Amino acid sequence: MTSHLLRKPQSQSIGEGITLIQEVLTSDSPLDYVGFKLIDLAVGAVYEQPLEQDECCIVALTGKITVTEGEHRFEGIGTRESVFEKKPTDSVFVSGGASFTVEAVTPATVALCYSPAVEPRPTKLLPASGVGVVHRGKYNNQRMVHDILPDSDPSASSLLVVEVYTEGGNFSSYPPHKHDRDLLPEESLLEETYYHELAPKQGFVFQRVYTDDRSIDETMAVEHRNVVIVPAGYHPVGVPDGYTSYYLNVMAGPKRVWKFYNEPDHEWILNRD
Ligand SMILES: O=C(O)C[C@@H](O)[C@H](O)C(=O)CO
């Protein structure tokens, strides 16, 4: 059966030195709020993007880039050659209605994270030094999180962006939680995309996306550079021994609050000594 939630990488030339690896649009996915692109840039390549109704977080996943929007110019940003250096990177937030360019100073991979521009916000560098690093979980449920655009940071009007590292033998986004009901303060409605990388590259992880009524229930073998779309439901990730998992989450919904709801059957996992 073809999965509607799992996207394999493509390799489509969309300009001189620009390769589109992933593209998730609201028009070709079950999502209403979240869009995502991943592009590879050769040195000197310039990607240009006019934004209309969407705001965008440009994440310098690897390599060095220069981002320009109007009079704003952020030169040579980006901190790592591989995401598996496990250090935070630089990003730039650009609001709806603006137009930006990304130029590669070195070979680079750039994540473009989109959501509706609810209110205008100034263009802003989100420097690596400002990224919160959080270690969560215990036993085989440990992960490290880089908060690039958490809900505590008002730089964006609807977008949330986070990176997560999970070592082999561990689960993350676990115990299973969801955020698919606009029911604050108990739960917020946030769609989500997962962009995955693996080290070493031939690895895979398992991700299950499922709702309480099982109208969605897919368990996917997810490989390097795949995207998993989470329109609703629980979305845990399990990482086989020997491999390290990285994923970049983009979330958005009607309210910019990350309030998740743990699946009651598995909540006991959080309450162990
Ligand atoms: O803590 C984690 O395991 C990361 C997840 O919270 C992940 O960012 C997510 O599921 C967001 O809803």
Side-chain angles (χ1 to χ4, degrees):
M1 196 180 80
T2 311
S3 169
H4 299 295
L5 304 182
L6 181 64
R7 297 274 180 100
K8 296 288 173 185
Q10 45 178 310
S11 186
Q12 187 192 343
S13 173
I14 55 166
E16 185 76 39
I18 309 170
T19 309
L20 182 68
I21 306 298
Q22 285 284 358
E23 181 173 45
V24 178
L25 305 169
T26 50
S27 55
D28 78 348
S29 76
L31 303 180
D32 292 323
Y33 293 94
V34 171
F36 180 75
K37 279 186 202 166
L38 189 85
I39 52 174
D40 283 344
L41 298 175
V43 176
V46 182
Y47 175 83
E48 186 168 3
Q49 170 90 72
L51 292 170
E52 290 172 9
Q53 311 297 326
D54 284 341
E55 55 190 28
C56 183
C57 181
I58 303 148
V59 183
L61 221 61
T62 60
K64 292 209 175 289
I65 55 173
T66 294
V67 178
T68 308
E69 186 281 305
E71 69 209 18
H72 303 278
R73 187 171 166 83
F74 306 105
E75 284 198 29
I77 63 169
T79 62
R80 58 197 187 193
E81 289 182 13
S82 159
V83 299
F84 293 102
E85 290 170 33
K86 297 181 188 167
K87 57 184 182 192
T89 190
D90 302 310
S91 304
V92 174
F93 174 80
V94 180
S95 206
S99 189
F100 67 83
T101 61
V102 181
E103 179 172 359
V105 178
T106 67
T109 296
V110 179
L112 301 165
C113 316
Y114 304 93
S115 69
V118 177
E119 286 171 9
R121 294 278 195 279
T123 293
K124 189 174 175 187
L125 176 67
L126 305 169
S129 57
V131 171
V133 179
V134 182
H135 293 267
R136 286 192 200 132
K138 58 185 178 187
Y139 301 120
N140 296 111
N141 186 24
Q142 298 189 42
R143 63 268 194 207
M144 178 174 73
V145 178
H146 290 170
D147 278 324
I148 294 176
L149 254 181
D151 59 2
S152 55
D153 178 347
S155 303
S157 74
S158 73
L159 198 53
L160 299 166
V161 181
V162 63
E163 293 182 306
V164 180
Y165 293 90
T166 314
E167 299 300 334
N170 284 266
F171 277 70
S172 57
S173 297
Y174 188 83
H177 71 242
K178 70 180 181 78
H179 31 73
D180 60 13
R181 290 179 299 171
D182 189 1
L183 207 62
L184 286 167
E186 197 184 335
E187 184 176 347
S188 57
L189 193 170
L190 296 170
E191 300 172 345
E192 188 164 12
T193 54
Y194 275 69
Y195 166 69
H196 288 267
E197 293 203 6
L198 273 302
K201 277 187 189 145
Q202 70 272 26
F204 55 86
V205 299
F206 297 107
Q207 184 160 23
R208 183 180 181 200
V209 179
Y210 63 104
T211 50
D212 281 324
D213 65 3
R214 302 300 191 264
S215 57
I216 300 176
D217 189 359
E218 286 196 36
T219 302
M220 290 159 267
V222 181
E223 299 180 311
H224 188 62
R225 298 197 123 187
N226 290 184
V227 166
V228 172
I229 295 170
V230 184
Y234 307 98
H235 39 273
V237 174
V239 185
D241 185 29
Y243 292 90
T244 300
S245 146
Y246 162 91
Y247 51 80
L248 176 80
N249 291 142
V250 184
M251 288 182 277
K255 300 195 180 77
R256 193 170 178 268
V257 178
W258 182 49
K259 184 70 175 78
F260 58 85
Y261 172 84
N262 291 312
E263 188 173 21
D265 281 354
H266 306 298
E267 207 166 23
W268 64 270
I269 286 167
L270 288 171
N271 303 322
R272 292 170 297 172
D273 290 334

